[in-house]
Amino acid sequence: GVSMSGPTIFAIIYSSVTIWTAVYSRLILQRKLSMFQWMGVVTVFGGLTLTGLHSFQLGPQVFRGSCMIFVGSSIHALGYVVSELIMTRGKNRITVRANTAIQGLVACVALAFWQLFYTRPRFMKLIREPMKQAGTSRQQALFVFLAIAFANFIHALSFMYTLRHFPGGAVSAGVLKGLQAVLVFLTTSAVFCGTDAGGEEMCFNLAKLLSLVVVVGGSLIYGKATEVQSKQQFNQKAGYEIVPDA
């Protein structure tokens, strides 16, 4: 999907995990969302709709890539909710570290099979020839690989911690993905737009700016609503009376 639509469109659509985590949390975890939380979710969806319309104008290939990212985001969001379920519910819940280790090992095995049966027979075409064209040495490639592995480790650990300890659980983790889209959007436009590696889908424009503003606005609405809801639930459990602001 990202190879067809570009990283900026990918970053914006990928933040749709906010919507899917809210829906799956309601269906699986029976978590109730307030009206303002749903407003934030719907606002994010509106921003994603603008992105989808813009990607359609860029051509059928970009649009197909956008649809693939949207479906992938839904499946990824389901993983958020299932992870929260097995870490916070029931007697046999597991720790953050155990969940991170199990998912990492499963992904590692799956990737190893892919490399063995798909990449290895096509090693020259997929790896060696592009490396020669780019002038990349084996040491440089190894450094990049290790850097990505370390970044993924930090990402996974912080993500699981968010699911277990951050107010809102899986839905809050989804909202943070929307904020991640901002950084990817700005960095990609600054680095790749106008270069040989970047096409029109890499560049900053008014349509993407509008989509980004709407997505971030929805994220902020949801974040504030979650904060208010958490305070109300704490006060109710503690037996305090909720007094409206003067």
Side-chain angles (χ1 to χ4, degrees), residues 12 42-52 207 210-215:
I12 298 174
V42 172
T43 302
V44 171
F45 181 75
L48 297 172
T49 302
L50 294 174
T51 305
L210 181 60
S211 300
L212 194 62
V213 169
V214 174
V215 168

Side-chain angles (χ1 to χ4, degrees), residues 155-221:
H155 173 270
L157 188 61
S158 58
F159 163 66
M160 297 302 176
Y161 184 88
T162 299
L163 287 179
R164 179 157 185 162
H165 300 290
F166 198 78
V171 183
S172 295
V175 170
L176 293 177
K177 281 291 184 181
L179 299 180
Q180 177 189 8
V182 179
L183 298 177
V184 175
F185 179 88
L186 296 177
T187 303
T188 301
S189 180
V191 175
F192 294 110
C193 182
T195 66
D196 294 336
E200 183 181 355
E201 68 274 8
M202 303 279 192
C203 298
F204 178 90
N205 57 42
L206 183 60
K208 291 179 182 177
L209 174 62
L210 181 60
S211 300
L212 194 62
V213 169
V214 174
V215 168
V216 174
S219 299
L220 294 176
I221 292 174

Side-chain angles (χ1 to χ4, degrees), residues 56 58 85 103 131 135 137 147 162 165 183 194 214 236 240:
F56 184 77
L58 293 176
L85 177 66
Q103 292 199 33
M131 285 180 61
S137 65
T162 299
H165 300 290
L183 298 177
V214 174
Q236 289 173 355
Y240 299 134

Side-chain angles (χ1 to χ4, degrees), residues 224 227-228 231-232 235 241-246:
K224 183 61 178 178
E227 180 184 355
V228 172
K231 290 181 179 179
Q232 291 177 345
N235 290 335
E241 181 181 358
I242 301 176
V243 180
D245 294 336

Side-chain angles (χ1 to χ4, degrees), residues 26-46:
R26 184 69 184 94
L27 295 176
I28 298 175
L29 301 177
Q30 301 299 311
R31 173 174 289 132
K32 294 182 179 180
L33 302 179
S34 68
M35 180 183 67
F36 288 102
Q37 285 175 310
W38 281 114
M39 284 178 59
V41 169
V42 172
T43 302
V44 171
F45 181 75

